[in-house]
Amino acid sequence: MSRLGRTSARARQVWRALRKNPYLERVEQARHRNEDPPPPEPPPVDDLEPDPEADPGIPRSLKVASSWAWRTLVIAAAVIGVLYLADILAVVVIPMLISLLLAAMLQPLVALLVRAHIPRSLAAAVVLVAGLGTVAGVLTYVINQFIEGVPELVANVQRGVQTIQTWAKEGPLHLEQAQIDNFFKQLSDSISNWLAADPTSAAETAGVTLGVALTTLTGLFLVLFTTFFFMRDGRRIWNFLIGMLPTAATEPMVRAGNASWRSLVSYVRATILVAVIDAVGIGAGLVLLKVPLAIPLAALVFLGAFVPIVGATVSGAVAVLVALVGDDWVTALIVLGLVLAVQQLEGNVLQPILMGRAVSIHPLAVVLAVGAGVVLAGIIGALIAVPLVAVLNAGVRQLRMKPSPPPTEEPAEESPPTGTVTA
């Protein structure tokens, strides 16, 4: 090969090496990025498709309304289906929901015993038996107080009826004794006829009573067993249910479940504390005023506090009525003022401080939830409606929140290249 050919081949090798230099490639990429991209060519007029939103035949508002309508119908159908299944399985669903409330109330005690190196199964059993013993003792005391106070209340009612008869006879009405006796006789006969059992339906009544007793007994055993296993294996049961979901839904559902459980525990603790304060405050006032059935009325106030707003109103009205019938209208007014003061303390101080934002629900939502619970499941529905709404509220809010990204380490500064480019 001649000298000129070798020089030309060497020049081509040097040029190829220079083209493969990474610094030159970066310069070329930067030059191309700085250049403005050519504008896209407009599509031909014949290929343009008509915009369905611009169809003059159907207004856009009607399309939006129809979209909302069918989606709302689908959601309503799903809710109705769930309620229908819950009604069919009410013997199982209602005890399970009550067990969740009891487990949320007793779980802190189980955790305390577990931290004291007691096996979880034994701790759950001890807490459950102790809770049953406490409830049985309180019920026994309240029932005994009720039995002891009924004769005094009946005597006060009789005196009140005699006072009404005297007022009707000697007051502005000037009724005759025969008319008064006839009125009370008709009232007594109406009550007796309403309470009297029809001999033809005695068998049906006995069958219904037996069915209700069996259903109640079954529900009680389900509540006991379910509460025990919720306290012992609650975390494992939830992890098992979450494990059946797709992988992408596992982490959001874990966060939603934890938030819902914290909300339920906060609700139950706050409700119990508020119920104790209400019962002690109103019960002490009834005892000082010597109102008949003061202890049973305090127990009624305690139970009524588990149904927010509605339960406190009903139990307070019963206390005022008993004070009116058992004593006089002055005592009834004092009891009314006491009930209103305790309810204001509960609504404006206790619940905002104890429950906080974890179970913050608007009063209108509480009233509507209690009303829907009464319509769907009676007293049990009123009891579980508000905690169910609180749990759903906390879970949905957690699902709507985006998880905060994990902290990332700051990238280390790149060391300058060892080689240099010289002009």
Side-chain angles (χ1 to χ4, degrees):
M1 181 181 293
S2 65
R3 187 179 183 85
L4 180 62
R6 289 195 299 270
T7 305
S8 178
R10 181 64 178 172
R12 285 195 298 268
Q13 292 177 359
V14 172
W15 176 248
R16 282 197 297 268
L18 289 175
R19 292 188 62 184
K20 292 181 180 180
N21 192 323
Y23 296 102
L24 292 180
E25 291 180 359
R26 292 178 185 178
V27 171
E28 289 292 330
Q29 293 175 0
R31 185 174 64 83
H32 288 299
R33 282 198 301 267
N34 293 332
E35 294 178 356
D36 295 333
E41 297 181 359
V45 180
D46 296 337
D47 295 340
L48 291 176
E49 297 182 357
D51 186 7
E53 297 293 338
D55 187 3
I58 302 176
R60 185 176 182 278
S61 59
L62 183 58
K63 292 182 179 180
V64 173
S66 61
S67 300
W68 277 100
W70 74 261
R71 287 178 173 85
T72 304
L73 289 177
V74 170
I75 295 175
V79 172
I80 292 174
V82 171
L83 293 178
Y84 179 73
L85 291 177
D87 182 59
I88 294 177
L89 302 174
V91 180
V92 177
V93 173
I94 292 178
M96 185 184 67
L97 295 177
I98 296 176
S99 298
L100 282 174
L101 293 177
L102 294 177
M105 178 176 61
L106 301 177
Q107 183 62 37
L109 299 178
V110 177
L112 183 63
L113 294 180
V114 170
R115 285 195 294 269
H117 305 289
I118 297 177
R120 181 171 290 274
S121 299
L122 180 60
V126 168
V127 170
L128 186 61
V129 172
L132 288 176
T134 303
V135 171
V138 173
L139 285 179
T140 302
Y141 178 73
V142 171
I143 291 174
N144 291 334
Q145 291 293 320
F146 179 79
I147 293 174
E148 293 177 0
V150 165
E152 181 183 358
L153 181 62
V154 171
N156 291 335
V157 170
Q158 291 177 351
R159 287 196 298 268
V161 170
Q162 292 177 357
T163 302
I164 294 175
Q165 290 179 351
T166 303
W167 178 83
K169 182 178 179 180
E170 300 178 357
L173 298 178
H174 298 289
L175 297 179
E176 296 181 357
Q177 186 64 36
Q179 294 176 334
I180 298 174
D181 294 340
N182 187 27
F183 170 77
F184 282 99
K185 184 177 182 302
Q186 291 179 357
L187 181 61
S188 177
D189 293 341
S190 300
I191 296 175
S192 299
N193 293 333
W194 181 65
L195 295 176
D198 188 1
T200 59
S201 62
E204 297 179 1
T205 304
V208 171
T209 304
L210 181 61
V212 171
L214 291 176
T215 302
T216 304
L217 188 62
T218 303
L220 179 61
F221 278 105
L222 283 176
V223 167
L224 294 179
F225 282 102
T226 310
T227 304
F228 172 77
F229 287 110
F230 278 167
M231 290 189 298
R232 194 190 73 171
D233 302 325
R235 175 65 64 177
R236 286 191 288 178
I237 293 173
W238 179 248
N239 291 336
F240 171 76
L241 295 176
I242 292 298
M244 295 187 293
L245 298 177
T247 305
T250 300
E251 196 271 338
M253 287 303 297
V254 168
R255 291 188 292 108
N258 293 334
S260 299
W261 180 252
R262 289 194 300 268
S263 176
L264 182 61
V265 171
S266 300
Y267 173 83
V268 172
R269 290 179 180 176
T271 302
I272 291 176
L273 186 55
V274 169
V276 170
I277 294 175
D278 289 353
V280 171
I282 296 179
L286 295 177
V287 171
L288 293 177
L289 294 173
K290 297 182 180 180
V291 176
L293 305 178
I295 301 300
L297 287 175
L300 180 63
V301 171
F302 176 81
L303 295 177
F306 285 89
V307 182
I309 300 176
V310 178
T313 303
V314 173
S315 60
V318 172
V320 173
L321 181 61
V322 171
L324 178 62
V325 174
D327 205 332
D328 53 14
W329 62 271
V330 177
T331 305
L333 288 178
I334 297 175
V335 173
L336 177 61
L338 176 64
V339 170
L340 292 178
V342 171
Q343 289 185 0
Q344 290 298 317
L345 176 65
E346 170 192 343
N348 298 324
V349 179
L350 297 179
Q351 288 189 355
I353 293 177
L354 297 177
M355 293 188 179
R357 300 186 61 183
V359 288
S360 57
I361 305 175
H362 196 275
L364 179 60
V366 172
V367 174
L368 294 178
V370 171
V374 170
V375 172
L376 294 175
I379 298 177
I380 300 297
L383 176 65
I384 64 178
V386 178
L388 184 60
V389 170
V391 167
L392 292 177
N393 178 48
V396 171
R397 287 171 57 187
Q398 188 60 232
L399 288 176
R400 292 181 60 186
M401 294 174 57
K402 294 183 179 180
S404 56
T408 57
E409 297 180 358
E410 295 182 359
E413 296 182 359
E414 297 182 358
S415 58
T418 56
T420 59
V421 178
T422 59

